[in-house]
Amino acid sequence: MPDELNRGKLFGELTKEQQDSFRRSPMPELIRLNSSTRLYKWTEYPLVGSEGRITEYWSPWEGFEWNRLTVPGFTELRLRYRNHGGEVGAPRDFARARQAVTVQWNDMDALLHVELVEPVWRFIGICAGQRVFKDKNRPEHQSNIFFIGGDFQLCIPNLSIQQIRKL
């Protein structure tokens, strides 16, 4: 059996940016994803970026249980946070706030739906909060305006086109 991507990887081996994207409670955990697992994300980017990389941050298409918590899938989040007369906003606005994605990083204007074609290991945890703007040349950088984070995220470092395909 070939070695599966990220098997045995330790949280401390993630980059500082990857580690900082997680809250530390509950501590992110490395768990295996089977082939045919579907994932999604709101993004402005294609599956393979301009530098030939595939982003490591994803959300699960189907919900599951982790650490005695229910990790909702795409349908559950859409039902739970749909817009009722304007009080919640569009699903991507919810995703931006709960996944703490700054505007400079990503417009989040399209849904990217993918499937794993071979098993991989990923870290699961809860998104840390993030400043709305992280550009030191903008006045908003000095503000105390934060996206709250708190959504579940999957971090799959070193993904390649051999392990994933767009649906």
Side-chain angles (χ1 to χ4, degrees):
M1 172 168 60
D3 195 31
E4 295 170 342
L5 180 68
N6 299 319
R7 182 195 307 231
K9 192 171 192 74
L10 301 173
F11 186 74
E13 295 173 331
L14 294 176
T15 67
K16 179 175 178 4
E17 179 182 310
Q18 290 166 337
Q19 290 179 40
D20 288 349
S21 74
F22 287 101
R23 290 183 183 170
R24 294 304 192 274
S25 180
M27 188 65 184
E29 183 179 357
L30 186 67
I31 297 178
R32 185 177 188 265
L33 290 174
N34 294 320
S35 61
S36 77
T37 298
R38 294 185 300 159
L39 309 170
Y40 79 95
K41 70 182 313 157
W42 288 97
T43 186
E44 71 179 88
Y45 301 106
L47 176 58
V48 180
S50 60
E51 297 175 4
R53 292 185 42 218
I54 296 175
T55 180
E56 61 263 38
Y57 299 106
W58 295 93
S59 296
W61 189 260
E62 288 92 13
F64 62 93
E65 297 294 317
W66 169 67
N67 203 19
R68 295 185 303 222
L69 299 169
T70 299
V71 179
F74 179 76
T75 301
E76 293 139 315
L77 284 177
R78 290 284 310 244
L79 290 172
R80 189 180 300 168
Y81 300 106
R82 66 181 170 219
N83 189 345
H84 290 287
E87 73 261 9
V88 175
R92 77 170 183 165
D93 295 332
F94 162 79
R96 181 178 300 286
R98 296 280 292 171
Q99 295 171 0
V101 178
T102 69
V103 175
Q104 302 95 298
W105 289 342
N106 193 329
D107 280 340
M108 299 178 73
D109 58 1
L111 186 69
L112 181 58
H113 185 197
V114 299
E115 180 179 64
L116 295 174
V117 295
E118 62 182 55
V120 300
W121 291 74
R122 53 79 170 117
F123 285 92
I124 181 170
I126 297 176
C127 296
Q130 185 75 250
R131 281 188 193 276
V132 169
F133 291 97
K134 291 196 72 150
D135 183 347
K136 292 181 181 181
N137 297 319
R138 293 184 65 151
E140 297 93 339
H141 177 77
Q142 302 303 320
S143 74
N144 290 328
I145 302 172
F146 284 80
F147 287 127
I148 61 174
D151 200 4
F152 293 93
Q153 75 176 359
L154 309 178
C155 180
I156 312 170
N158 308 311
L159 269 174
S160 73
I161 199 67
Q162 287 76 35
Q163 289 128 353
I164 195 168
R165 72 178 176 95
K166 185 176 176 181
L167 295 175

